[in-house]
Amino acid sequence: MRVRFRVAVYSKEGKRLGREDFIAFREPLYVGIRYVVEFKYLEATKWLMLAKDCQEKYLLLALLNFSLGQETQAREFLQEALKHERATDYLFVIEKPEEGLKVAIERIEASLPDFLLSL
């Protein structure tokens, strides 16, 4: 599957998280995050849709949809993310390894969609 960029997950200490960091979790949010770090974005979307409402759920859904070229849905999820509080300390990072690009999404801003569409 062709994507515009990858989404990586980092701990607050700066460690890149992988599949093994989420394997013991059974809550839909964490299962969805596990699939994100495995680059299985369609499966991640299914689990994230089942997760309880939180900013991470909707931010990840927005990032995945932008990555897959679904801009309309991505903008809707981004607007929804603004309405919810954070549930974790994870940092989400946009990566384009072929270009050496790595950008952390530390907060949701109005210019975020324009930036993501430019990738």
Side-chain angles (χ1 to χ4, degrees), residues 10-22:
Y10 285 78
S11 69
K12 64 181 176 182
E13 293 83 22
K15 175 189 175 226
R16 183 184 181 118
L17 301 175
R19 178 181 191 275
E20 59 281 348
D21 295 303
F22 297 100

Side-chain angles (χ1 to χ4, degrees), residues 54-55 58-59 76-84 108:
C54 64
Q55 192 175 85
Y58 292 108
L59 177 57
E76 291 174 12
F77 285 128
L78 206 52
Q79 288 302 313
E80 190 64 28
L82 293 170
K83 299 176 187 175
H84 299 281
I108 303 170

Side-chain angles (χ1 to χ4, degrees), residues 1 3 6-9 16-23 25-50 60-61 64 68 92:
M1 173 178 16
V3 294
R6 293 183 186 178
V7 179
V9 182
R16 183 184 181 118
L17 301 175
R19 178 181 191 275
E20 59 281 348
D21 295 303
F22 297 100
I23 203 76
F25 292 102
R26 297 290 176 236
E27 293 177 41
L29 176 65
Y30 297 100
V31 175
I33 294 173
R34 184 182 84 214
Y35 282 117
V36 168
V37 301
E38 293 177 2
F39 305 113
K40 296 178 180 177
Y41 292 168
L42 296 178
E43 191 67 26
T45 299
K46 293 176 194 176
W47 282 96
L48 290 170
M49 292 299 288
L50 295 172
L60 280 171
L61 285 168
L64 296 179
L68 296 170
F92 303 112

Side-chain angles (χ1 to χ4, degrees), residues 4 61-62 64-75 117:
R4 289 183 177 168
L61 285 168
L64 296 179
N65 276 277
F66 275 119
S67 176
L68 296 170
Q70 304 294 323
E71 288 112 25
T72 304
Q73 295 89 338
R75 288 178 190 274
L117 290 173

